[in-house]
Amino acid sequence: MYPCSMKAAELEVIGASWAPHKSTQPILHPTSFRVCAGRVLGVVGPNGAGKSTLLRLLYRFHKPHSGQVMVDGQDIWSMNARAAAKRIAAVLQEQASAFGLTVREIIELGRTPHRSGFATGRVGDAQVVERVLSSLNLQALADRDFRTLSGGERQRVMVARALAQEPQVLILDEPTNHLDVRHQLEVVSLIRSLGLTIVVSLHDLNMANGLCDDVLVLRDGHPQGFGPPQALLTDRLVSDTFRVDARREQLVPSGTPHFSFTLPH
Amino acid sequence: MGAPYQPMTPRARTSVGFWITGLLGFAILLGSLAIAVSVGAIAVPFEAVWGILINKIAPDTISVDWSKGREAIVWDIRLPRAILACLVGAGLAMVGASLQAVTRNPLADPHLLGISAGGACGAILALLHTGLFVGLLTVPLLAFLGSLGATLLVLAVSQFASATSADRLVLAGVAVSFVVMSAANVLIFLGDPRATHTVVFWMLGGLGLARWDQLLYPAVVLLFAGTYLQLKSATLNAMTVGDETATTLGIPVARFRLSVFVIGAMITGVMVAFSGIIGFVGLMIPHIVRLLVGGDYSRLLPLSALCGAVFLVWADVIARTVMAPDDMPIGIVTGLIGGVFFVWLLRQRIR
C-alpha cells in the first residue's frame, strides 16, 4: 500500500517517557506509536508540549526514563552511539555559523559514524558526499562558506549532512522555521521525496496536513492522539490542544483542507 | 548573523593551497628564528648566526670569525629562547582553536577561561611553597594540576549556573579566572618576600628562563597533545555544529569535551610553567588562520601552530628590543596586541 523503501526502517516507540530529574514532573508522559518504514510522521502541539523532548528521545540524545525506542525491532540504547548514528540522523535547529566550514566540509561530517576512532576520510566517503551534493543540487555551493548561504540553502545543507549518514530514519526539528514560503515548499517536497522513515516536528497544522502520513498530537507532555491527519485532526481535538477555536475549511478552488483559527470567547 | 561575508582566498582551502601556505609559513618561521637570534642588546650579524648554527650541527664546517661570547649568546641564550617562543606560541594557539570548537565559542582562549591563571597558581605553589619535591618536573607538574583544577572549576561553575550556552561558558571562565588569580596573589603574598619580585615578573610572561635541557618538557607535551588533537580534527569539526548534532553523529560529546579540556590544561600548564601567563595568542591566531584557510580543523590546527609560533617569536623580539637592554614581559606585548584585536573582533561580530 505504501512505498516501503529498502533503506527505510520501522520506528516504534513503546511507552517512552522522560523527565530532567528522577523527582521532577515528567516533561513527556509515556507515549507509544509506530511509524512504518518509509512513512512520514508529523509531531504537532503548542509550545512546550514536549515535541523537542520526544525528538531527543528518538535521536538518542536523552535516554527514556521508561519505555523503549526501537528501530526495526532493536532498542536504540542496546546499540552503541555510532551504530545508532548509522541508522538515525537528525536535522536540528543548531547550525555551525561562526566557524567557517564550507558546505562540503559540513556534509562530510555526516560520514563521522562510518569512520572508526582516529581514521580520516576514505574514498567511499567522498563518493557518498558527491552523491548527496548532486541529489540535493548543492554542487554549485559545495565550496561556499556556510555563513554566506541563505536560510533555505542552509537547511538544505543540514539535510544533506544528515543524508550523508545514510540513515534509515530521519528526524527533523521544525525544519521550516524562519524560512520564506518558497523555501518552506522546497524543504517539504524534499522531505517527501527522500523515501526514508521520517519524524518531523511542525508548528503549522496545515503543513502537517499536507506533508504527513500520520500525525502525533502532544499537549503538556501527554499524547492526545495518533493517526492519519484527515481522520485525527478534528475541530474538537485541535481546539482543545491549542486552546483556540479551530475550524477545518476547504480552500476554493483547490479543495485543500485548511484550518482557520480564532481566539475562543 | 547571516551577514554577507566574502569567502577569503578559496584557493587556500584546497590541499595544494594548504601545502603552499604551510611551506610558506615554515619558511617565514625559519626566517623569523634567524632574525630573532641575531637581534638584541648585542647584535650578531646574520652570517655569524648561520655559521654558529651550522658549526653546532656539523662541527668545523665554517671557519670561526666570531667570539666565544657571541657564540654563547646565540647558542645558549637566544636560540633556546626563540625555540621556547615557538613551542609556547604553537601550543597556546592549538589549545585556543580546540577550546573554541568544544565550547562552540570563538572567544574561547586558555587565558580568558582561567586555565592559564590556574597554571600560574600551581607554578607559584611549587616555586614559593612546596619546594621542588620531584626535581625540575615539579613546576610543570603543579602548573598542569593547577590548570586542570581551574578547567574543572570552569566546567563545574557552568554546570552549577546551568550556563551551558557558549557565551555563558566564557563568563564562567572569566569568573573562575578572577578567583584563581586572587588565590595566586595570596600565594605570592604569603611567600618569601625576596622571591616575590622574580615570581611577579615571571607571571607577567617571559621567555628568559629558556634552557636547552628544559625545552624537552614543553616539546614532548606539545608533540603528543598536538598529535592527539590533530587526529581528532574531524570530531572537532563536528563539535562546532552543536552538542545535539554531534551526539546524533555518534560522538560522546561530554567525554570528548572533557578530554579536550584536559589536553588543553596539560599544554597550557606546561607552557605557563616555562613562560608565565601569555594571553590572547589562543584567541587571536585561530581567527586569523580561519580567514586564510577556512574552518576545517585538519588544516586549522597545524597552521594555527605555525602562525602561533611565528607570532610569539616576533612578540619576543619586540619585548626584548623596545626597552633594551631590559626585557619587557612578553605578556604585556601580547596583551596589547590581543586587546586591540579583540576590539576589532567585536566590531566584526556586530556587523
Side-chain angles (χ1 to χ4, degrees):
Chain A
M1 193 158 69
Y2 304 106
C4 259
S5 155
M6 282 299 287
K7 52 184 180 175
E10 183 186 86
L11 176 72
E12 189 172 13
V13 174
I14 308 164
S17 72
W18 190 81
H21 303 287
K22 283 270 185 299
S23 52
T24 51
Q25 189 70 4
I27 291 177
L28 185 73
H29 293 270
T31 302
S32 302
F33 57 87
R34 178 154 64 162
V35 194
C36 287
R39 300 259 282 180
V40 179
L41 169 70
V43 179
V44 299
N47 294 338
K51 301 192 290 285
S52 303
T53 304
L54 174 63
L55 296 197
R56 287 189 177 119
L57 295 181
L58 301 183
Y59 55 73
R60 206 177 177 278
F61 185 72
H62 288 327
K63 189 170 187 171
H65 273 199
S66 69
Q68 289 173 302
V69 177
M70 321 268 271
V71 174
D72 268 350
Q74 235 191 315
D75 188 329
I76 58 170
W77 284 94
S78 73
M79 40 180 126
N80 65 34
R82 256 177 65 205
K86 287 182 197 170
R87 288 165 162 252
I88 306 164
V91 177
L92 310 178
Q93 299 196 46
E94 45 184 30
Q95 290 180 339
S97 45
F99 287 89
L101 292 175
T102 64
V103 168
R104 188 193 305 275
E105 284 158 2
I106 286 187
I107 296 174
E108 275 167 1
L109 296 179
R111 300 309 295 164
T112 310
H114 296 269
R115 295 170 183 163
S116 58
F118 285 122
T120 45
R122 291 192 314 259
V123 184
D125 290 337
Q127 284 170 354
V128 173
V129 170
E130 286 309 317
R131 202 166 61 232
V132 171
L133 274 171
S134 70
S135 73
L136 293 195
N137 262 325
L138 288 167
Q139 294 110 319
L141 302 179
D143 294 316
R144 283 268 296 277
D145 190 324
F146 187 72
R147 289 174 289 195
T148 65
L149 304 183
S150 72
E153 289 167 337
R154 287 180 183 199
Q155 197 58 272
R156 229 159 73 215
V157 172
M158 293 319 270
V159 173
R161 196 224 80 238
L163 293 181
Q165 263 171 274
E166 298 186 300
Q168 300 169 315
V169 177
L170 181 62
I171 317 282
L172 300 104
D173 188 12
E174 309 268 3
T176 55
N177 248 11
H178 311 303
L179 296 186
D180 61 36
V181 180
R182 162 87 201 184
H183 287 129
Q184 286 191 15
L185 292 176
E186 277 178 9
V187 169
V188 166
S189 82
L190 176 63
I191 292 172
R192 287 255 42 145
S193 69
L194 293 176
L196 299 171
T197 307
I198 285 171
V199 179
V200 51
S201 69
L202 290 167
H203 245 51
D204 185 340
L205 279 177
N206 291 313
M207 187 168 288
N209 226 335
L211 168 66
C212 307
D213 299 314
D214 294 302
V215 169
L216 174 73
V217 180
L218 287 176
R219 181 192 173 187
D220 298 333
H222 291 280
Q224 304 289 304
F226 173 82
Q230 313 291 342
L232 179 73
L233 297 179
T234 58
D235 292 356
R236 175 78 183 281
L237 179 78
V238 173
S239 299
D240 286 353
T241 304
F242 290 87
R243 297 189 301 123
V244 291
D245 282 339
R247 213 171 66 211
R248 189 201 285 266
E249 297 167 354
Q250 293 239 309
L251 293 182
V252 179
S254 65
T256 326
H258 185 93
F259 277 102
S260 67
F261 307 99
T262 49
L263 279 175
H265 299 296
Chain B
M1 287 300 284
Y5 198 100
Q6 280 303 310
M8 302 276 253
T9 52
R11 228 180 302 121
R13 291 175 179 279
T14 64
S15 65
V16 177
F18 166 72
W19 285 111
I20 291 173
T21 316
L23 285 176
L24 199 71
F26 201 68
I28 292 174
L29 178 62
L30 287 182
S32 306
L33 275 175
I35 295 170
V37 170
S38 106
V39 171
I42 296 170
V44 180
F46 265 132
E47 306 88 67
V49 169
W50 288 114
I52 292 167
L53 296 188
I54 290 169
N55 271 6
K56 279 290 176 184
I57 296 160
D60 302 327
T61 330
I62 293 173
S63 61
V64 177
D65 58 357
W66 53 83
S67 66
K68 275 268 177 257
R70 291 249 148 92
E71 182 167 323
I73 287 173
V74 168
W75 185 255
D76 294 331
I77 296 174
R78 288 193 191 157
L79 190 61
R81 180 175 183 148
I83 290 176
L84 181 62
C86 291
L87 295 173
V88 173
L92 292 178
M94 282 183 106
V95 173
S98 311
L99 291 178
Q100 285 163 16
V102 296
T103 60
R104 223 167 2 275
N105 190 321
L107 297 181
D109 165 270
H111 180 54
L112 281 183
L113 286 178
I115 303 175
S116 299
C121 203
I124 290 166
L125 197 63
L127 290 171
L128 292 182
H129 296 277
T130 65
L132 304 180
F133 57 90
V134 282
L136 268 181
L137 264 178
T138 318
V139 179
L141 185 71
L142 282 192
F144 164 60
L145 291 178
S147 292
L148 191 62
T151 302
L152 297 179
L153 205 57
V154 171
L155 290 177
V157 167
S158 65
Q159 285 286 322
F160 167 72
S162 349
T164 36
S165 79
D167 283 336
R168 297 185 63 184
L169 189 74
V170 168
L171 287 183
V174 172
V176 168
S177 181
F178 278 124
V179 173
V180 173
M181 271 321 281
S182 314
N185 288 332
V186 168
L187 286 179
I188 294 175
F189 186 68
L190 294 177
D192 182 351
R194 282 164 298 171
T196 308
H197 181 77
T198 328
V199 169
V200 167
F201 257 84
W202 161 82
M203 210 162 75
L204 289 173
L207 301 162
L209 298 172
R211 302 283 174 275
W212 279 115
D213 55 344
Q214 293 179 0
L215 283 180
L216 190 66
Y217 304 114
V220 168
V221 166
L222 183 64
L223 184 70
F224 281 97
T227 307
Y228 173 84
L229 292 173
Q230 182 68 33
L231 289 172
K232 287 290 186 189
S233 54
T235 313
L236 287 168
N237 281 342
M239 291 293 288
T240 65
V241 182
D243 277 10
E244 297 199 19
T245 302
T247 305
T248 69
L249 291 167
I251 295 166
V253 169
R255 207 176 69 206
F256 180 69
R257 173 157 38 231
L258 187 64
S259 70
V260 169
F261 265 101
V262 170
I263 292 281
M266 202 160 95
I267 299 181
T268 310
V270 74
M271 298 311 171
V272 166
F274 287 101
S275 66
I277 296 180
I278 299 178
F280 290 107
V281 179
L283 171 76
M284 196 163 38
I285 301 298
H287 267 281
I288 294 167
V289 176
R290 260 188 214 107
L291 293 179
L292 292 173
V293 298
D296 182 356
Y297 271 80
S298 64
R299 294 192 303 264
L300 180 66
L301 282 173
L303 288 181
S304 290
L306 203 56
C307 288
V310 172
F311 172 73
L312 217 59
V313 167
W314 280 104
D316 188 45
V317 168
I318 295 172
R320 286 191 290 125
T321 47
V322 281
M323 300 200 312
D326 287 329
D327 276 7
M328 191 163 84
I330 193 172
I332 296 177
V333 178
T334 62
L336 200 62
I337 299 174
V340 173
F341 177 82
F342 205 109
V343 172
W344 174 79
L345 195 69
L346 280 176
R347 216 178 135 65
Q348 290 286 308
R349 276 159 69 83
I350 289 164
R351 258 195 265 144

